[in-house]
């Protein structure tokens, strides 16, 4: 179902867009130096934007329904969303346009349709027979508020209860009101002077469809005779009613009340309840009434052939159980089981073997919808274990703080992560298969592996298999394990930057080929992980402490007008001489009493057992400096080939060699510029009491002196790292503006300076003021030499400028292909190597896999740089700007990624004004510009990411991931990939009434509802009462909804419509009567043939 036509996008961006409308063509610079023409294959017709799937737990759930024949579960939410679940891998998301809360859901059992009732008093009929369900009809109540709905099994008449206490009847085929109304004043006793309150329950007697049980909030229950249009019995109780449930024989029903009691009533004895139970009340002596308890919000009464019935209820705990978790109570015979839940219960349903209400129910499971989880309890096993949930509903187990998306990963990655993740599974689940198993899987056209990584507030990192529009958790890493936990509040370290969630993950950098993982946390800590299939015990966790300072001296004249000197080679973390005045890393205050040289978190000093999976290689922490806490990390990059990790914040940049566990670079941002600083800031003071220049670049806490007279800069008040880069439009603080943060980092093998004749390893650094700086890396040979000789790091002097903070950098070769950073393929580190393997390793040097290493010297490269405002393609080594595109003038880019699509590459951007844009590379032609969604909260900004093959995602709510595609091909294939919700299933046979019940009565009594509620007998409903709104489902939808006894009329009508024969009202009614008579005669004939030759005792 394609909603967008974006073929007109090529000529630039629309007037409403944020792009510079004057800039029709990307600018080319300079005209004198002609760039070699690169054939670009991507055109605007390759792009189209559409949502694909939504994963995760439905946020703010409010309603629950189950189709016991189709085995499909539906969940409605407070924002009008509808989520449908079938077998694992079959899921569907729909949205009511109004956004009103869903108050109730009712399946048309085995019909492939669903009725939703919303808080804005509308009813909607959904067709589930198409892959993307659509609304067929809507009905808007104008004068009354809808409170409860009930649709009897195999009936087309929906009972709708209202706040005024009236009951209206809706024909679900035509979605029109019947003239038959049950008024509240007729239902209750005439002598009663008070209003009975809203309708909270409607159900028909399982054994007699002509008797309707109506529960009013005040505590009155009425058994209404539909034929005689009067109340047969009235049952009154002095406590408010929350729910009502029938015994399947139709002789008893049970009510749950606001004082924590259950009352069991006999249909024919309205004077008082047969039994009153307070499941959680303390029984007092002297026969007094038990103490009142909390309300029982819902009760279900389910019978079994072989044993006692089940009474299942939510709520009803005594008031003295303060702090006790919400409970579901299962009463079975004399046993009562109280099952504690992690979150409050929204609703629950008992899953039974039969859809017929007048048969033994045989309950086998209870599905419990919690505020933040979905739990399924096995009723058939002792102890009521829960089923292992196969849906990806645990995304929010701890709040998501960041995420990354990788499409087209190495094929061995998912099996490797799955094998280590399988060991983490909990035990004690039910042995049975997940019972919600309706629908069929789609045909997965995409065969490439996709992985989503989520970082969480508790420091955990989860890896998800996201291939072929499904989602399954593979492996969970707990990064907080390396730190000491505070035992109590008094013991809590006072060095935290944040009050809560000190381990929260802010940035993830991952190399899929080498499986190296690096995470940056909110407490200014970085942890590097290696992947291993072997369990190891780490005696001492390797650790480095780094001191990143930000010093500006207003008084002294600058000395540092030349470029910073090259660093002295460093062999290890502690190889520098420690001056006498410095403080060891354990000290917590400087000489003037300020907290100094301490990290925010304390690394464990005991041996750490590391299970197979990701294992800690190195922990790096920024430390307090002269009473100022370390600033949060704003960018991070790791390179497995070079053995380096680099990170930056608003104070500066630090680079660490994780092979040698040594700090290679530690510079303030201004120091990176040397004499070329374009901002004319007051430069930082020369560090009087610091070490010589070489050590200044390798400034770790063991070798640092605190200048007594330095100006203390204020701490950053930006907590959320996604926006910690400065915004020129909104930042007023001059100090913050001058604090130029590191916003992008990219390792590559390219031309470092204009004069270079061949590419070499380097690091490109982007800042929040739009500057790109290049740092040259001189790596020793591979093997043992790499572990012994130092890496030499030096700023190259190359500086490029763009408007707005730098977001992303990438490199293209001379043919326009992406040059990936160098990487080392993964190998198992924890297995002792053979001697000749070691010899090989000595000779081996990490090589770049980029095409550049094999190119001729004369060939050039292109650097692609994307900032918040514009994109540039720079020709290397000349450093001429080949192409430029101003992406937005009035807004700013939140996320930019250089991605592969259709055997080519493009730049994809998401702007804060809600536009998604793509540009060709290298020429930066606009290919797509579509308004998608506005930046409504920080969560979207923090989690939006693009990846290869036209895929993207973001966190749409605190519990859900929304995936989308910007690829025309994926949009076209989406219909095939989606699962089928509806599958043709035979409705089970109705229960056998038995000979004597049929002969002497007592079996189920049927009712001709058509005769009672049809227009011929009950007339038309008032037009002002409700308004019918046709849905967008169309003829396809009517086709789907028409089925079985219920759909006979709709099918007949459809056949006529399709032939173009428009019938008037009269002809329609005639057709309906003929259809009804025809089906009745056929049915009667079949019955006669079936029983013709049977003797009376065989019935």
């Amino acid at each position: 179902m394609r909603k967008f036509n974006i073929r007109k996008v090529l000529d630039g961006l629309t007037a409403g867009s944020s792009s510079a409308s004057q800039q029709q063509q990307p600018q080319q610079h300079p005209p004198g130096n002609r760039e070699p023409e690169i054939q670009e294959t991507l055109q605007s017709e390759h792009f189209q934007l559409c949502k694909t799937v939504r994963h995760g737990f439905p946020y703010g759930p409010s309603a629950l329904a189950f189709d016991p024949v189709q085995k499909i579960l539906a969940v409605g939410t407070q924002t009008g969303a509808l989520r449908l679940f079938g077998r694992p891998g079959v899921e569907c998301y729909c949205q009511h346009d109004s956004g009103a809360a869903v108050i109730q859901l009712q399946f048309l059992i085995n019909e492939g349709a669903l009725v939703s009732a919303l808080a804005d008093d509308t009813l909607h009929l959904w067709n589930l027979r198409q892959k993307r369900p659509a609304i067929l009809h809507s009905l808007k109540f104008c004068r009354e508020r809808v409170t409860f709905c009930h649709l009897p099994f195999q009936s087309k008449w929906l009972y709708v209860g209202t706040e005024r206490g009236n009951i209206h009847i809706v024909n679900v085929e035509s979605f029109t009101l019947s003239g038959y109304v049950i008024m509240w004043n007729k239902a209750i006793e005439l002598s009663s002077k008070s209003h009975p309150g809203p309708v909270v329950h409607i159900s028909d007697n399982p054994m007699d469809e002509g008797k309707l049980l109506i529960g009013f909030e005040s505590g009155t229950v009425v058994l209404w005779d539909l034929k005689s249009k009067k109340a047969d019995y009235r049952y009154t109780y002095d406590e408010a009613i929350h729910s009502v449930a029938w015994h399947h024989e139709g002789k008893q029903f049970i009510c749950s009340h606001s004082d924590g009691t259950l009352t069991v009533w006999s249909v024919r004895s309205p004077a008082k309840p047969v039994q009153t139970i307070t499941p959680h009340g303390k029984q007092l002596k002297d026969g007094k009434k038990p103490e009142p308890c909390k309300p029982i919000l819902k009760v279900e009464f389910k019978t079994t052939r072989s044993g006692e019935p089940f009474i299942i209820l939510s709520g009803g705990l005594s008031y003295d159980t303060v702090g006790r978790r919400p409970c579901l109570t299962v009463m079975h015979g004399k046993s009562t089981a109280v099952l504690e839940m992690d979150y409050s219960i929204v609703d629950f349903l008992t899953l039974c073997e039969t859809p017929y209400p007048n048969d033994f129910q045989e309950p086998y499971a209870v599905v419990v919808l919690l505020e933040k989880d979905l739990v399924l309890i096995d009723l058939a096993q002792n102890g009521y274990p829960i089923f292992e949930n196969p849906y990806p509903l645990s995304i929010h187990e701890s709040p998501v703080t960041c995420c990354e998306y990788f499409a087209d990963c190495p094929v061995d990655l998912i099996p490797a992560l799955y094998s280590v993740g399988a060991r983490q599974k909990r035990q004690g689940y039910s042995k049975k298969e997940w019972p919600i198993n309706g629908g069929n899987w789609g045909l997965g056209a995409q065969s490439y592996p996709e992985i989503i990584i989520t970082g969480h507030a508790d420091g955990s990192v989860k890896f998800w298999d996201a291939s072929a529009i499904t989602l399954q958790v593979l492996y969970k890493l707990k990064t907080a394990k390396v730190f000491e936990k505070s035992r109590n509040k008094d013991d809590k370290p006072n060095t935290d930057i944040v009050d809560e969630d000190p381990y929260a993950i802010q940035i993830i950098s991952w190399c899929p080929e080498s499986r190296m993982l690096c995470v940056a946390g909110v407490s200014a800590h970085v942890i590097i992980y290696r992947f291993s299939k072997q369990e190891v015990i780490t005696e001492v966790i390797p650790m480095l402490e780094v001191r990143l300072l930000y010093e500006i001296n207003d008084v002294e004249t600058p000395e540092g007008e030349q470029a910073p000197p090259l660093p002295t080679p460093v062999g290890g973390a502690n190889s520098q001489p420690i001056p006498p005045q410095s403080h060891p890393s354990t000290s917590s205050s400087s000489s003037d009493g300020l907290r100094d040289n301490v990290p925010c978190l304390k690394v464990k000093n005991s041996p750490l057992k590391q299970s197979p999976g990701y294992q800690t290689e190195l922990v790096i922490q920024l430390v307090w400096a002269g009473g100022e806490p370390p600033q949060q990390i704003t960018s991070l990059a790791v390179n497995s080939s070079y053995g380096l990790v680099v990170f930056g914040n608003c104070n500066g940049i630090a680079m660490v060699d994780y092979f040698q566990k040594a700090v290679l670079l530690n510079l303030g941002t201004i120091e990176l510029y040397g004499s070329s600083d374009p901002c004319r800031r007051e430069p930082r003071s020369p560090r009087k009491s610091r070490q010589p220049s070489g050590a200044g670049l390798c400034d770790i806490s063991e070798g640092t002196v605190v200048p007594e007279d330095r100006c203390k800069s204020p701490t950053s008040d930006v907590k959320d790292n996604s926006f910690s880069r400065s915004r020129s439009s909104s930042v007023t603080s001059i100090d913050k503006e001058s604090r130029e943060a590191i916003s992008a980092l990219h390792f590559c093998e390219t031309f470092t300076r204009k004069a270079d004749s061949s590419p070499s390893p380097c690091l490109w650094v982007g800042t929040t003021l739009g500057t790109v700086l290049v740092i040259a890396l001189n790596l020793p040979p591979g093997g043992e030499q790499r572990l012994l000789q130092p890496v030499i790091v030096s700023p190259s002097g190359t500086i490029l400028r763009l408007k707005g903070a730098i977001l992303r950098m990438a490199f293209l070769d001379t043919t326009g292909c992406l040059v990936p950073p160098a990487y080392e393929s993964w190998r198992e580190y924890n297995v002792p190597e053979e001697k000749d393997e070691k010899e090989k390793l000595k000779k081996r040097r990490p090589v770049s896999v980029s095409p550049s290493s094999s190119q001729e010297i004369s060939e050039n490269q292109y650097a692609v740089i994307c900032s918040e405002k514009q994109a540039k393609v720079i020709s290397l080594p000349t450093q001429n700007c080949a192409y430029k595109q101003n992406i937005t003038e009035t807004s700013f880019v939140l996320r930019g990624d250089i991605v592969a699509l259709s055997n080519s590459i493009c730049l994809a951007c998401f702007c804060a004004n809600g536009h998604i844009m793509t540009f060709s590379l290298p020429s930066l032609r606009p290919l797509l510009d579509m308004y998608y969604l506005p930046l409504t909260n920080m969560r979207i900004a923090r989690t939006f990411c693009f990846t290869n093959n036209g895929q993207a995602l973001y966190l749409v709510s605190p519990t859900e991931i929304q995936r989308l595609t910007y690829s025309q091909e994926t949009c076209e294939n989406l219909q095939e990939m989606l699962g089928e919700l509806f599958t043709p299933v035979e409705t089970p046979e109705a229960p056998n009434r038995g000979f004597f019940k049929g002969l002497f009565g007592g079996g189920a009594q049927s009712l001709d509802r058509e005769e009672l509620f049809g227009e011929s007998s009950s007339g038309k409903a008032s037009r002002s009462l409700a308004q019918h709104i046709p849905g967008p489902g169309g003829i396809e939808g009517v086709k789907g909804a028409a089925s079985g006894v219920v759909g006979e009329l709709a099918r007949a009508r459809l056949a006529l419509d399709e032939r173009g024969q428009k019938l008037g009202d009269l002809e329609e009614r005639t057709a309906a009567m003929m259809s009804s008579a025809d089906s009745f005669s056929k049915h009667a004939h079949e019955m006669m043939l079936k029983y013709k030759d049977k003797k009376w005792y065989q019935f």
Side-chain angles (χ1 to χ4, degrees):
M1 193 171 70
R2 296 202 308 231
K3 287 190 182 171
F4 308 112
N5 176 11
I6 50 90
R7 297 182 180 227
K8 304 276 188 279
V9 169
L10 184 60
D11 296 327
L13 314 169
T14 53
S17 151
S18 58
S19 297
S21 51
Q22 303 82 10
Q23 195 155 343
Q24 292 298 328
Q25 284 297 317
Q27 298 167 12
Q28 303 193 9
H29 299 275
N33 271 359
R34 275 189 69 81
E35 299 299 332
E37 276 297 315
I38 291 174
Q39 192 66 37
E40 292 181 0
T41 55
L42 284 179
Q43 302 299 329
S44 61
E45 52 261 31
H46 289 110
F47 294 89
Q48 185 174 331
L49 203 60
C50 69
K51 292 179 182 178
T52 51
V53 282
R54 186 174 287 205
H55 301 297
F57 182 77
Y59 183 65
S62 56
L64 182 67
F66 182 67
D67 185 326
V69 180
Q70 285 289 318
K71 302 280 174 74
I72 297 282
L73 187 78
V75 176
T77 75
Q78 289 163 8
T79 52
L82 193 57
R83 289 285 292 281
L84 296 141
F85 298 93
R87 65 181 58 210
V90 177
E91 277 185 47
C92 181
Y93 158 74
C94 320
Q95 178 68 47
H96 293 91
D97 291 340
S98 67
V102 179
I103 54 171
Q104 207 178 344
L105 295 170
Q106 290 265 298
F107 274 102
L108 277 68
I109 293 171
N110 206 26
E111 295 280 345
L114 174 79
V115 173
S116 57
L118 270 58
D120 63 355
D121 311 308
T122 52
L123 303 177
H124 304 274
L125 178 67
W126 288 87
N127 173 22
L128 309 182
R129 292 183 173 226
Q130 51 199 65
K131 288 194 170 183
R132 293 216 154 176
I135 292 174
L136 289 172
H137 299 282
S138 299
L139 191 67
K140 166 83 176 161
F141 279 79
C142 305
R143 296 192 310 211
E144 297 202 49
R145 314 239 35 200
V146 175
T147 55
F148 193 89
C149 296
H150 169 64
L151 181 68
F153 180 42
Q154 293 181 325
S155 163
K156 70 172 185 183
W157 299 98
L158 174 76
Y159 302 110
V160 180
T162 68
E163 197 172 46
R164 287 190 186 172
N166 302 328
I167 290 173
H168 301 279
I169 296 160
V170 176
N171 181 332
V172 291
E173 273 176 11
S174 60
F175 238 56
T176 51
L177 275 179
S178 159
Y180 191 114
V181 183
I182 304 170
M183 303 300 285
W184 68 270
N185 53 357
K186 297 262 181 72
I188 64 161
E189 292 204 49
L190 297 173
S191 57
S192 174
K193 293 202 175 114
S194 57
H195 189 275
V199 175
V200 293
H201 178 83
I202 308 168
S203 60
D204 44 341
N205 185 322
M207 285 297 181
D208 188 351
E209 294 172 350
K211 310 287 189 192
L212 199 64
L213 195 69
I214 306 161
F216 295 98
E217 193 182 61
S218 63
T220 300
V221 179
V222 174
L223 188 68
W224 181 263
D225 187 317
L226 289 164
K227 281 183 184 168
S228 64
K229 300 186 182 180
K230 62 181 178 54
D232 277 0
Y233 299 103
R234 296 181 180 93
Y235 314 85
T236 50
Y237 192 71
D238 53 7
E239 290 293 340
I241 288 177
H242 285 276
S243 76
V244 184
W246 278 103
H247 186 284
H248 86 273
E249 289 176 350
K251 294 174 182 172
Q252 283 191 332
F253 61 88
I254 188 167
C255 300
S256 75
H257 299 278
S258 56
D259 64 344
T261 57
L262 297 171
T263 52
V264 182
W265 299 81
S266 168
V267 169
R268 293 172 185 273
S269 308
K272 63 177 183 130
V274 177
Q275 193 182 1
T276 304
I277 314 162
T278 312
H280 296 283
K282 289 177 184 167
Q283 295 298 327
L284 302 175
K285 291 172 185 174
D286 310 329
K288 287 182 183 170
K289 269 180 82 173
E291 288 178 1
C293 295
K294 293 175 186 173
I296 295 174
L297 300 176
K298 185 171 182 180
V299 64
E300 294 213 332
F301 198 1
K302 302 296 178 186
T303 52
T304 59
R305 272 191 176 78
S306 54
E308 300 275 351
F310 282 88
I311 294 176
I312 301 163
L313 56 114
S314 63
L317 293 179
S318 66
Y319 281 102
D320 59 3
T321 51
V322 179
R324 187 165 176 186
R325 294 193 295 181
C327 292
L328 187 82
T329 306
V330 180
M331 299 165 72
H332 184 222
K334 291 182 178 171
S335 76
T336 299
V338 180
L339 310 175
E340 287 198 338
M341 302 290 156
D342 289 336
Y343 306 102
S344 56
I345 298 170
V346 175
D347 198 359
F348 73 89
L349 285 173
T350 312
L351 309 190
C352 300
E353 295 292 353
T354 178
Y356 293 94
N358 58 355
D359 195 8
F360 285 98
Q361 300 296 287
E362 303 296 349
Y364 58 89
V366 182
V367 57
V368 190
L369 179 64
L370 305 174
E371 203 175 24
K372 293 185 180 175
D373 203 0
L374 183 77
V375 176
L376 216 72
I377 296 157
D378 185 351
L379 287 179
Q381 246 176 284
N382 282 342
Y384 305 131
I386 63 168
F387 288 87
E388 185 174 8
N389 197 323
Y391 305 133
L393 301 183
S394 62
I395 291 168
H396 63 287
E397 188 178 17
S398 169
V400 176
T401 48
C402 64
C403 59
E404 293 295 335
Y405 190 6
F406 300 86
D408 224 357
C409 305
V411 289
D412 57 347
L413 251 181
I414 288 175
L417 287 163
Y418 183 82
S419 67
V420 294
R423 304 171 196 215
Q424 301 177 326
K425 293 209 168 164
R426 277 175 45 197
Q427 302 299 312
Y429 289 113
S430 167
K431 306 271 190 300
K432 291 185 186 162
E433 281 194 13
W434 184 254
I436 301 162
N437 55 14
N440 280 321
W441 292 306
L443 301 166
Q446 296 170 341
S447 53
Y448 51 86
E450 297 174 71
I451 289 177
I452 295 170
I453 307 178
T454 51
H456 299 264
D458 64 353
S460 60
V461 176
K462 285 184 184 174
F463 291 77
W464 305 82
D465 176 3
S467 312
I469 68 168
T470 60
L471 193 69
Q472 182 185 8
V473 71
L474 291 168
Y475 170 72
K476 179 179 173 182
L477 168 68
K478 295 178 180 173
T479 66
K481 278 204 310 194
V482 299
F483 299 111
E484 297 278 6
K485 293 271 198 323
S486 51
R487 295 278 171 268
N488 53 46
K489 283 188 179 172
D490 306 334
D491 189 31
K492 195 176 176 185
N494 54 357
T495 50
D496 287 357
I497 300 179
V498 288
D499 299 333
E500 49 192 41
D501 302 327
Y503 311 111
I505 305 294
Q506 283 191 304
I507 312 174
I508 295 166
S509 176
W510 188 51
C511 172
E513 289 79 12
S514 67
R515 304 184 190 172
M516 288 301 294
L517 172 71
C518 196
V519 299
V522 75
S523 296
H525 62 281
V526 171
I527 311 177
I528 304 159
Y529 290 94
R530 273 190 203 281
F531 185 86
S532 171
K533 294 179 179 178
Q534 309 291 319
E535 184 176 290
V536 293
I537 292 177
T538 309
E539 293 297 327
V540 178
I541 299 166
M543 183 184 85
L544 283 177
E545 289 177 0
V546 178
R547 182 183 174 97
L548 264 181
L549 291 178
Y550 178 80
E551 296 172 298
I552 289 186
N553 190 1
D554 300 325
V555 183
E556 302 199 23
T557 52
E559 271 179 30
E561 280 295 317
Q562 67 281 4
L566 297 184
T568 311
V570 178
N574 300 319
S575 60
Q576 303 157 44
I578 298 174
Q581 311 99 305
S582 79
H583 300 284
S585 63
T586 48
S587 72
S588 60
S589 60
S590 61
S591 52
D592 54 1
L594 296 170
R595 193 176 300 133
D596 201 41
N597 279 359
V598 282
C600 297
L601 301 169
K602 190 179 175 192
V603 175
K604 279 182 182 168
N605 52 17
S606 54
L608 182 69
K609 179 181 163 186
Q610 305 212 62
S611 305
Y614 275 102
Q615 298 172 349
T616 309
E617 173 80 3
L618 178 64
V619 180
I620 308 161
Q621 292 196 85
L622 295 182
V623 295
W624 284 65
E628 183 183 314
Q631 298 301 306
Q632 290 182 7
I633 290 159
T634 53
S635 57
L636 173 73
V638 64
N639 186 288
S640 58
S641 175
Y642 307 156
L644 302 178
V645 66
V646 63
F647 55 93
N649 63 10
C650 62
N651 283 348
I653 186 171
M655 191 188 297
V656 169
D657 177 344
Y658 64 76
F659 287 154
Q660 297 185 18
K661 313 285 188 279
V663 181
L664 301 174
L665 180 78
N666 179 1
L667 279 179
T669 318
I670 301 167
E671 236 170 351
L672 278 171
Y673 286 96
S675 57
S676 330
D677 185 358
C679 292
R680 309 311 311 151
R681 288 166 287 212
E682 285 295 322
R684 68 167 62 200
S685 63
R687 301 178 183 174
K688 294 185 199 125
S689 44
R690 269 188 156 189
Q691 297 160 245
S693 59
L697 288 170
C698 311
D699 180 12
I700 57 171
S701 62
E702 287 90 343
T704 319
V705 179
V706 186
E708 302 291 333
D709 58 347
R710 84 173 175 87
C711 302
K712 288 180 276 296
S713 54
T715 61
S716 168
D717 60 359
V718 183
K719 185 179 174 183
D720 189 334
N721 93 301
S722 59
F723 274 36
S724 56
R725 43 182 195 269
S726 63
R727 302 251 173 262
S728 52
S729 57
S730 58
V731 174
T732 51
S733 158
I734 294 166
D735 179 63
K736 258 200 193 168
E737 189 65 29
S738 66
R739 277 194 180 209
E740 185 175 9
I742 307 295
S743 57
L745 295 161
H746 189 89
F747 284 107
C748 55
E749 202 157 307
T750 188
F751 301 93
T752 314
R753 301 175 181 86
K754 283 185 185 180
D756 283 2
S757 57
S758 63
S760 59
C762 54
L763 171 72
W764 285 52
V765 181
T767 75
T768 49
L769 294 189
T771 306
V772 176
L773 304 130
V774 184
I775 294 171
L777 309 173
N778 192 340
L779 298 162
E784 281 185 15
Q785 293 296 309
R786 175 65 185 84
L787 300 176
L788 299 172
Q789 291 185 27
V791 177
I792 295 175
V793 181
S794 55
S796 67
T798 295
I799 292 180
L800 305 164
R801 298 280 297 161
L802 276 79
K803 272 196 281 183
I806 306 296
L807 299 180
R808 190 77 60 213
M809 296 174 278
F811 293 84
L812 313 182
D813 65 14
T814 192
T815 64
C817 294
L818 197 64
V819 179
Y823 63 81
E824 181 105 313
S825 291
W826 178 80
R827 62 187 175 83
E828 181 58 74
Y829 269 76
N830 292 329
V831 175
E833 286 157 346
E834 301 298 319
K835 213 171 186 188
D836 42 334
E837 279 285 317
K838 277 194 177 171
E839 288 301 310
K840 269 189 210 166
L841 194 63
K842 273 185 196 174
K843 293 171 190 161
R844 189 173 80 176
R845 169 173 177 162
V847 288
S848 166
V849 293
S850 67
S852 61
S853 54
S854 60
Q855 283 170 359
E856 294 169 30
I857 288 168
S858 62
E859 291 191 337
N860 61 353
Q861 286 187 1
Y862 295 96
V864 181
I865 305 165
C866 176
S867 80
E868 288 180 332
K869 294 286 185 183
Q870 61 181 189
K872 280 187 182 179
V873 173
I874 310 288
S875 183
L876 298 176
T878 61
Q879 295 180 16
N880 293 329
C881 177
Y883 302 99
K884 182 172 96 170
Q885 176 69 260
N886 287 337
I887 300 168
T888 172
E889 295 289 348
T890 54
S891 184
F892 52 88
V893 178
L894 285 163
R895 176 81 183 209
D897 286 293
I898 291 93
V899 289
L901 178 72
S902 305
N903 299 317
S904 189
I905 52 166
C906 64
L907 167 66
C909 299
F910 172 53
C911 287
N913 63 4
H915 282 252
I916 287 178
M917 302 150 102
T918 62
F919 301 91
S920 70
L921 288 174
S923 72
L924 295 172
R925 275 181 304 119
L927 297 171
L928 170 77
D929 176 19
M930 286 221 56
Y931 177 74
Y932 175 70
L933 98 158
L935 176 66
T936 48
N937 55 43
M938 297 298 291
R939 184 181 57 251
I940 298 170
R942 200 171 54 230
T943 57
F944 198 104
C945 46
F946 297 96
T947 186
N948 297 331
N949 299 334
Q951 307 289 343
L953 66 79
Y954 61 97
L955 215 70
V956 67
S957 75
T959 62
E960 293 163 290
I961 285 173
Q962 176 68 56
R963 286 163 74 177
L964 56 143
T965 183
Y966 48 96
S967 151
Q968 168 76 26
E969 188 187 356
T970 308
C971 285
E972 284 174 358
N973 293 333
L974 185 61
Q975 197 67 11
E976 279 179 32
M977 295 164 66
L978 293 170
E980 297 265 7
L981 278 170
F982 179 81
T983 46
V985 180
E986 284 267 323
T987 301
E989 268 195 42
N992 191 355
R993 287 169 60 184
F995 171 70
F996 289 105
K997 275 194 175 172
L999 202 60
F1000 302 113
Q1005 302 291 312
S1006 61
L1007 170 78
D1008 186 350
R1009 295 190 179 95
E1010 184 70 46
E1011 189 188 322
L1012 263 180
F1013 305 143
E1015 206 175 290
S1016 55
S1017 58
S1018 63
K1020 284 188 175 179
S1022 163
R1023 283 194 175 184
S1024 62
L1025 191 60
Q1027 177 195 356
H1028 176 259
I1029 305 156
I1035 224 124
E1036 207 40 53
V1038 180
K1039 247 186 203 160
S1043 98
V1045 183
V1046 175
E1048 245 3 281
L1049 173 61
R1051 200 180 290 146
R1053 217 181 269 153
L1054 176 76
L1056 294 166
D1057 280 354
E1058 282 180 335
R1059 290 190 199 105
Q1061 296 170 356
K1062 299 283 182 190
L1063 295 174
D1065 281 349
L1066 183 67
E1067 286 169 293
E1068 273 185 27
R1069 238 176 275 146
T1070 313
M1073 286 165 69
M1074 283 169 65
S1075 161
S1076 172
D1078 190 41
S1079 72
F1080 179 74
S1081 68
K1082 274 183 192 168
H1083 188 65
H1085 187 64
E1086 281 166 16
M1087 291 283 284
M1088 185 268 288
L1089 290 175
K1090 189 175 177 183
Y1091 295 114
K1092 190 173 69 171
D1093 300 324
K1094 288 196 177 184
K1095 305 291 182 199
W1096 70 271
Y1097 51 80
Q1098 290 177 315
F1099 279 94

